[in-house]
Amino acid sequence: MALLSPYSKVPELNTATVLLVENEEELQNKLANAIVQHEKDFNVNVRLAKKLPLPVENKEARPRIDLIVFIVSLLSERSLQSAESSLSHLHSDCFLGKVCFLVTDARCGSHTQERLVSVRKLAASHHCPVICAEHRVSAGMTPISTTALYLSTLTRCSLTSDLQEDYLQ
Amino acid sequence: MDEQARSVLNRVIRRIPNKNIKNLLSKWNCLSADQLQALDYTKPKRMIVEHIIDCCESSNLNLKHITNLEMIYHLDNPDQGTWYACQLTDAQDDAVCVELTQFKEQFKAHLHGVIRHISIKMKKHEDDAIWIRIAWGDNFSKPNHLKPTYVVHHLHTSYVFISNLMAKHKIFLCQALVVATRHGSIKDGHLSTRSLTAMRDLLLRRYQQVFPSAQSKIQQERDSPPLHPCIGKEHSDYEEMRHQMACEAFGHGPTPKLETAVYKLETRYRGNGNLTVSDREEFFRGVVRFSSSSLLESLRNCVASGMAEGPVTPLLSAITRRGRNSFVITDKGPGVSSQASAPRA
């Protein structure tokens, strides 16, 4: 089984590629737009996928992936299950600071709390950070661009990131 | 104006929002311009109705005019009440030659022949639909205009759409239709909706169908603007395939607005539990019901977004393929076959 590996390709100059994996394929479009529009200093490419493994046909054309973000909607059990099964398609090298989890709708009820706990456990066992995001707009910045800001920070420093969770509005 | 006329008028006007009353009355063309001018649509409904009744009485209008008004109302608002589809079968050789006048005469003649008191009104609408309003009486009592049956038929198609038909009148109506259209019989269409437009669109195939073809791939309509060049989709091929599959099953673009699909199970339980033989002989009766404000749209979305795995089960695609939303599933086959499933209402 071909695993997605971060070091199998040569990096491009001044360019980073982020892979957003989301079963629902809802938030990833907005987030992708926010990321590419926000980052002016260097090129960020964003690839969108529903789950892993990625199609073999794209293997040659696909650039090196620098950051993998699993977007999990806490409203759906299937979302978490899909993310979990996708994890097994990643090479263990990815978990050295190249994977993070982004959860949405963490404040929408009791089931979401349980799922949040599961996501945190899953992320902690793989040494990945968890970011919480909300669709709703709050005073000041829109949440999506803030998340984009944080993600680009993650992209820049590919050292192992903090294990603490950050809550962004 | 008699009591019945008043009641019918009352019922029609009550249903319409005040702002649309003027339009309907002008289409009706029975009140003079002065009378129409004098009507105040800001008053409460009850007062408007009374005012119209007064106008009708001073113009000497009677039940005939009022039923005409009701019919005009239904022609303009076809998506009310519940409609059922029926299908004419065994077309005789001269079925294609049936003309409108011939149809009208034969239909009326048949019904007048079997029921003494009956009131039939027919109108041809702009899209070649024949609308029929029937107020049923019997051999002793006058027609009841408060519970009319409406029938819509497009000549030379095999479908008839019926609303508000009582069981005891069904046989008469069916006979009349069969005779007037020169067919051998009529059967239940297993399709019922609130929207006549949806029913017609589905059965007369007035929606954008997609046929499987190696060459043509339908353009996916993107609600969102095209993607930034730095954004790439990994699963775009799969997405297109899913979209294609969904559209083949449920149509492209706006779909007919069905509300429900019902599947009655008459199958036997096949579990591995410790069941006695007698348990296995019993039917496991269940009903699966899908409801939505626009069912075909929802199903298409489920398939296109990947929520439901493809290929689309024939049980669901049968809704569009066979134009029905009521199915009976029996043990004889995995899908819905015409031999296995007994036609039920």
Side-chain angles (χ1 to χ4, degrees), chain A residues 6-150:
Chain A
Y7 302 119
S8 56
K9 295 200 176 181
V10 175
E12 289 166 48
L13 194 61
N14 220 27
T15 308
T17 304
V18 179
L19 174 68
L20 302 179
V21 183
E22 184 189 8
N23 189 45
E24 286 73 39
E25 294 177 310
E26 271 181 62
L27 182 59
Q28 57 182 198
N29 283 318
K30 279 202 292 186
L31 186 55
N33 278 321
I35 294 173
V36 298
Q37 265 144 38
H38 173 267
E39 196 49 75
K40 305 282 181 246
D41 295 341
F42 58 92
N43 299 328
V44 181
N45 291 325
V46 181
R47 296 187 76 84
L48 307 178
K50 194 175 155 85
K51 57 183 172 132
L52 297 177
L54 298 175
V56 178
E57 306 87 64
N58 299 342
K59 192 173 172 194
E60 296 305 310
R62 192 183 304 131
R64 168 176 145 134
I65 308 273
D66 298 298
L67 178 67
I68 299 158
V69 182
F70 287 100
I71 303 177
V72 176
S73 167
L74 293 179
L75 291 174
S76 154
E77 189 63 44
R78 198 175 159 148
S79 189
L80 176 55
Q81 283 170 353
S82 172
E84 230 172 321
S85 62
S86 297
L87 274 181
S88 51
H89 293 273
L90 289 177
H91 194 280
S92 49
D93 283 343
C94 292
F95 296 106
L96 296 171
K98 291 194 182 293
V99 177
C100 85
F101 286 83
L102 178 69
V103 297
T104 61
D105 304 311
R107 301 188 294 186
C108 290
S110 58
H111 287 296
T112 55
Q113 292 306 311
E114 292 157 16
R115 283 181 199 133
L116 180 59
V117 169
S118 318
V119 171
R120 283 192 210 169
K121 280 192 191 155
L122 183 67
S125 63
H126 289 86
H127 299 277
C128 305
V130 178
I131 310 172
C132 294
E134 297 278 350
H135 286 280
R136 281 177 288 278
V137 175
S138 56
M141 283 194 276
T142 59
I144 301 300
S145 56
T146 317
T147 319
L149 178 69
Y150 193 80

Side-chain angles (χ1 to χ4, degrees), chain B residues 36 55 70 108 131 144 160 184-185 202 236 262 270 278 290 292 302 305 314 323:
Chain B
L36 283 177
C55 293
E70 189 198 82
K108 282 187 179 170
W131 279 69
N144 181 359
V160 182
S185 60
L202 183 66
S236 56
V262 176
R270 290 204 200 99
S278 60
F290 293 89
S292 166
C302 273
S305 66

Side-chain angles (χ1 to χ4, degrees), chain B residues 235-273:
Chain B
H235 298 288
S236 56
D237 287 344
Y238 292 103
E239 243 187 75
E240 269 178 37
M241 195 175 74
R242 281 200 315 251
H243 190 75
Q244 179 78 10
M245 195 162 60
C247 288
E248 276 172 22
F250 303 111
H252 186 52
T255 52
K257 226 168 168 224
L258 298 183
E259 299 93 31
T260 57
V262 176
Y263 296 83
K264 289 205 173 101
L265 302 174
E266 279 178 8
T267 49
R268 292 195 173 83
Y269 182 65
R270 290 204 200 99
N272 300 333

